[in-house]
């Protein structure tokens, strides 16, 4: 087990409680990921899959429950439900050891079904994050995700029906992505209607297939010692500023859609969101017009002050 006594974990728990109303502890049960997503780094743990026994993980949860009393656990594994056999053992062990703690985890749509969702719920899961990245099947295939947008939508809906919250991850600005693909991503989010989602502008991590694909199109590569992979930029379909506006457009459009589902679009928050959607859309159109006027070039000067998208 990790030697958590080496740090003052109570300070972390108290800080989470103060700012998020719930204290949280991270737990890792596996190393490696057998999948082949081109943007995801497998350089640390590789693509072979190794996992601690379900009994040992349950014992760790029991210890956390008794010594730290966290409100929830975040499993950091790339694909928590990759092995259904392991998951069944995990469910049995946490129940037997009285080690159930509410938790959230990440997985893939094709590794979920009704039986798996039931096991997750019985084990204490309250939120499932399902990788999507895009609503365009063309972009999903370019990423080598090996899943369909329809599968993600179906399992997001099924997870909510099983009584758990849902979350998903979205990426804009992947090589070759067009405005039509972004529209498909927005449609996907409206259909799946996850409770939470994060959205980022694609960035190339060294050692990945994505980095190899774009390394001769890099327009901004800061010094390694003073930056991260997120600061690397490359020649995309549209200027970087376009994607900053596109992120705002998608986020505000999804929030507006949720108000529309609740018949609250004609309220002050609804009107504010409608205005934000219009402004973001105009920004997208303005940025695209800038390409035609020569405001965007391979030098990347138009992106000099652009910042990575925030996580929403």
């Amino acid at each position: 087990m990790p030697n958590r006594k080496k740090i003052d974990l109570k300070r972390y728990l108290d800080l989470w409680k103060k700012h998020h109303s719930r204290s949280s502890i991270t737990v890792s049960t596996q190393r490696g990921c057998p999948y082949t997503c081109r943007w995801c780094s497998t350089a640390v743990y590789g693509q072979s899959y190794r996992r601690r026994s379900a009994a040992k993980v349950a014992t760790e949860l029991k210890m956390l429950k008794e010594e730290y009393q966290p409100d929830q656990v975040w499993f950091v594994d790339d694909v928590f439900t990759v092995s259904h056999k392991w998951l069944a053992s995990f469910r049995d062990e946490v129940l037997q050891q009285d080690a159930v703690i509410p938790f959230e985890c990440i997985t893939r749509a094709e590794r979920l079904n009704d039986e798996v969702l039931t096991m997750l719920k019985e084990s204490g899961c309250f939120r499932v994050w399902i990788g999507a990245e895009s609503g365009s099947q063309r972009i999903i295939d370019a990423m080598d995700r090996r899943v369909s947008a329809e599968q993600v939508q179906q399992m997001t809906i099924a997870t909510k029906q099983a009584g758990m919250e849902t979350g998903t991850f979205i990426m804009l600005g992947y090589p070759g992505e067009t405005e039509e693909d972004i529209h498909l991503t927005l449609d996907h989010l409206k259909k799946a209607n996850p409770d939470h989602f994060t959205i980022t502008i694609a960035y190339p991590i060294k050692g990945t297939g994505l980095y190899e694909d774009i390394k001769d199109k890099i327009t901004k590569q800061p010094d390694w010692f003073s930056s991260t992979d997120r600061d690397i930029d490359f020649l995309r379909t549209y200027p970087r500023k376009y994607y900053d506006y596109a992120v705002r457009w998608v986020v505000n459009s999804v929030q507006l859609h949720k108000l529309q589902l609740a018949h609250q679009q004609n309220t002050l928050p609804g009107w504010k969101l409608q205005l934000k959607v219009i402004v973001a859309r105009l920004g997208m159109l303005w940025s695209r017009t800038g390409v035609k006027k020569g405001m965007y070039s391979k030098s990347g000067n138009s992106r000099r002050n652009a910042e990575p998208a925030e996580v929403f």
Side-chain angles (χ1 to χ4, degrees):
M1 291 189 192
N3 187 358
R4 290 183 171 85
K5 293 184 178 180
K6 283 289 187 179
I7 61 172
D8 184 359
L9 194 57
K10 186 177 184 301
R11 293 181 63 188
Y12 287 89
L13 293 172
D14 290 346
L15 200 61
W16 269 92
K17 191 88 170 181
K18 177 181 178 181
H19 292 282
H20 302 284
S21 74
R22 296 174 64 86
S23 59
S24 181
I25 286 181
T26 56
V27 174
S28 175
T29 78
Q30 69 181 61
R31 291 181 178 177
C33 177
Y35 295 97
T36 56
C37 305
R38 295 186 62 76
W39 45 264
C40 187
S41 177
T42 57
V44 177
Y45 291 140
Q47 286 185 266
S48 62
Y49 164 74
R50 295 88 70 201
R51 200 163 205 169
R52 299 160 58 198
S53 72
K56 287 185 177 180
V57 175
T59 299
E60 180 177 357
L61 293 181
K62 177 70 171 179
M63 180 274 292
L64 294 176
K65 186 176 181 180
E66 292 177 344
E67 293 192 21
Y68 299 102
Q69 300 88 44
D71 293 319
Q72 67 184 59
V73 164
W74 167 260
F75 283 109
V76 299
D77 310 319
D78 289 328
V79 189
F80 190 74
T81 65
V82 65
S83 169
H84 295 173
K85 180 179 179 181
W86 184 92
L87 184 63
S89 297
F90 173 74
R91 184 267 317 273
D92 294 342
E93 288 289 344
V94 294
L95 292 175
Q96 180 180 336
Q97 297 189 38
D98 187 26
V100 174
I101 304 175
F103 71 85
E104 55 186 316
C105 62
I106 306 171
T107 190
R108 293 172 57 96
E110 78 278 13
R111 299 309 299 162
L112 291 174
N113 56 42
D114 291 341
E115 181 182 3
V116 169
L117 291 173
T118 298
M119 288 192 289
L120 284 172
K121 186 72 180 296
E122 292 173 345
S123 303
C125 184
F126 73 92
R127 182 183 298 148
V128 181
W129 290 83
I130 306 171
E133 311 310 337
S134 176
S136 166
Q137 194 60 49
R138 185 178 70 86
I139 298 301
I140 291 173
D141 293 342
M143 294 175 175
D144 200 14
R145 287 277 297 150
R146 305 187 185 187
V147 70
S148 73
E150 185 178 359
Q151 280 179 295
V152 176
Q153 293 166 19
Q154 291 174 347
M155 294 319 304
T156 301
I157 294 170
T159 300
K160 295 176 74 173
Q161 291 174 341
M164 291 173 284
E165 294 181 20
T166 56
T168 196
F169 308 102
I170 295 297
M171 182 185 299
L172 299 184
Y174 199 80
E177 183 184 62
T178 66
E179 190 163 295
E180 181 181 358
D181 296 313
I182 297 175
H183 276 277
L184 289 172
T185 295
L186 177 57
D187 290 342
H188 165 83
L189 286 169
K190 290 180 178 180
K191 291 176 183 177
N193 193 27
D195 297 294
H196 312 275
F197 72 97
T198 69
I199 183 167
T200 59
I201 298 176
Y203 58 93
I205 301 173
K206 291 186 177 182
T208 64
L210 172 58
Y211 187 90
E212 292 301 311
D213 290 342
I214 61 85
K215 64 182 181 181
D216 60 341
K217 300 178 181 178
I218 290 176
T219 59
K220 178 184 177 184
Q221 189 163 26
D223 181 83
W224 175 256
F225 295 99
S226 60
S227 65
T228 72
D229 293 306
R230 287 179 178 270
D231 298 314
I232 301 174
D233 204 3
F234 58 93
L235 193 64
R236 307 172 194 261
T237 307
Y238 309 117
R240 172 55 188 265
K241 194 63 179 176
Y242 171 91
Y243 299 101
D244 293 333
Y245 284 117
V247 166
R248 299 177 195 173
W249 180 64
V250 171
V251 169
N252 290 309
S253 294
V254 171
Q255 292 178 343
L256 178 60
H257 177 69
K258 289 182 180 294
L259 287 185
Q260 290 169 338
L261 292 177
H263 304 291
Q264 295 179 0
Q265 69 271 25
N266 293 320
T267 61
L268 182 58
W271 295 331
K272 287 182 177 179
L273 282 173
Q274 291 178 53
L275 179 60
K276 289 181 179 180
V277 168
I278 293 172
V279 170
R281 189 74 184 109
L282 289 174
M284 292 169 66
L285 295 174
W286 173 82
S287 297
R288 289 191 62 182
T289 303
V291 178
K292 298 177 182 179
K293 292 182 179 180
M295 296 172 63
Y296 174 67
S297 68
K298 290 187 178 182
S299 66
N301 290 334
S302 63
R303 305 190 194 90
R304 184 176 300 156
N305 298 317
E307 296 294 334
E310 295 295 330
V311 177
F312 292 82

